[in-house]
Amino acid sequence: MEEQEEAGVMDERIYVALGRETAKNKSNLAWVLDNCEGNKICIVLVHRPAQMIPVLGTKFDAATVDEELVRAYREKQKAKTDKILDEYLRICLRKGVQAEKLCVVMNSIEKGIVQMISENKVRKFIMGAASDKHYSTKMEELRSKKAIFVCQHASVTCHIRFICKGYLIHTREARMDEVRALSALLSDFQRLVSSQSSTISDQDSRGSKRKSEEEEEGEEEERTSRTSSSRSASTLSYFGGSEASSSVSVMEEKSNRSSPPSLPRNGAAHDNLPD
């Protein structure tokens, strides 16, 4: 198991940040090639797009220059950066090392490095601790503001070595214990959120179901009430009509009984008188 883990570590790619001046960075690259045998290497160079564009011998702010001129000039500068990276790759080949190149485009070198480490999930990284002129045999700390920024802000999972003039000056160990603890806390938090979301969803579902059932019961009661009212109205209408007919008949019968007998006409009465 340990042998497999060691093999896995040996296969990890080492990212190496170098500057634009190959002559001043050869000593650092030589240290990398001598101390990282068996590892895959990726040469990193941060390319900063030009903010001042030369026009007719004078430089102007890119925001005030025609967009086509800005694009054309920046493409030329980017091509120069690619040539610098190719020169570093040739140095590696002469040492018998197969290397890759990576150009990071950003206005800030240190921020570009930090972002590159995060995006590529870099586990091993090497960069300069300071320019060669600042090196001394007693140098034990970082002198470069860029190196200090990277040391403070790069992912804690990345093991970083800072070198100067071909000497190792400082090492920032990867804090894997903290990473594992944070990872465990994050996993617990995600499970808690997922559990609460499921509970809320179930409660909402039960509430909606209960509301639906109550609405159905209310509609059923309303239909039953309407049916009962309709039947009652029909019954009252039926009995009310019969009683009215009976009343009319009784009234007509009483009227017939109380009216006097009809008298004969005058002519008829005279004919019936005795002579």
Side-chain angles (χ1 to χ4, degrees), residues 65-83:
V65 180
D66 181 75
E67 292 183 0
E68 287 298 321
L69 291 176
V70 173
R71 183 183 59 79
Y73 182 73
R74 286 179 173 176
E75 285 182 354
K76 290 181 180 179
Q77 295 300 308
K78 177 65 165 54
K80 290 181 180 180
T81 299
D82 290 333
K83 288 182 179 180

Side-chain angles (χ1 to χ4, degrees), residues 33-229:
L33 298 177
D34 291 339
N35 291 274
C36 300
E37 294 181 3
N39 291 96
K40 296 178 181 178
I41 294 175
C42 180
I43 307 297
V44 179
L45 202 160
V46 178
H47 172 75
R48 293 186 294 178
Q51 299 303 312
M52 300 300 291
I53 310 299
V55 179
L56 300 176
T58 304
K59 290 187 176 183
F60 297 90
D61 188 283
T64 65
V65 180
D66 181 75
E67 292 183 0
E68 287 298 321
L69 291 176
V70 173
R71 183 183 59 79
Y73 182 73
R74 286 179 173 176
E75 285 182 354
K76 290 181 180 179
Q77 295 300 308
K78 177 65 165 54
K80 290 181 180 180
T81 299
D82 290 333
K83 288 182 179 180
I84 295 170
L85 282 168
D86 291 338
E87 176 61 25
Y88 285 131
L89 294 184
R90 284 192 288 270
I91 294 173
C92 293
L93 283 175
R94 287 196 290 268
K95 290 283 187 175
V97 177
Q98 292 286 343
E100 301 173 357
K101 65 179 181 179
L102 175 61
C103 180
V104 178
V105 180
M106 185 167 281
N107 291 327
S108 168
I109 293 177
E110 56 269 32
K111 291 181 179 179
I113 290 174
V114 170
Q115 180 175 309
M116 182 277 301
I117 290 174
S118 175
E119 290 180 350
N120 292 276
K121 296 180 174 57
V122 177
R123 293 293 176 263
K124 292 183 177 182
F125 181 70
I126 300 173
M127 71 175 292
S131 60
D132 288 353
K133 65 181 181 180
H134 289 119
Y135 173 76
S136 69
T137 55
K138 297 181 179 180
M139 183 177 175
E140 296 180 353
E141 59 183 20
L142 303 177
R143 300 280 182 86
S144 166
K145 292 181 179 179
K146 298 180 183 67
I148 293 172
F149 182 91
V150 172
C151 186
Q152 292 175 344
H153 295 89
S155 171
V156 296
T157 62
C158 184
H159 179 276
I160 305 177
R161 283 176 284 183
F162 298 89
I163 55 181
C164 183
K165 206 174 182 180
Y167 293 92
L168 178 63
I169 303 301
H170 179 74
T171 300
R172 196 203 75 169
E173 300 289 346
R175 298 195 293 272
M176 296 308 298
D177 291 339
E178 293 182 16
V179 173
R180 294 190 188 99
L182 289 173
S183 179
L185 287 173
L186 179 60
S187 298
D188 292 341
F189 176 74
Q190 290 175 339
R191 283 195 295 270
L192 178 61
V193 171
S194 178
S195 176
Q196 290 179 346
S197 299
S198 299
T199 302
I200 293 173
S201 178
D202 292 341
Q203 290 176 350
D204 291 342
S205 178
R206 287 196 295 269
S208 299
K209 184 177 180 181
R210 188 181 302 109
K211 183 177 180 181
S212 177
E213 291 175 351
E214 290 176 354
E215 290 177 352
E216 290 179 359
E217 290 178 358
E219 291 175 358
E220 183 66 26
E221 290 177 358
E222 185 177 355
R223 286 196 296 269
T224 303
S225 176
R226 289 176 180 176
T227 303
S228 300
S229 299

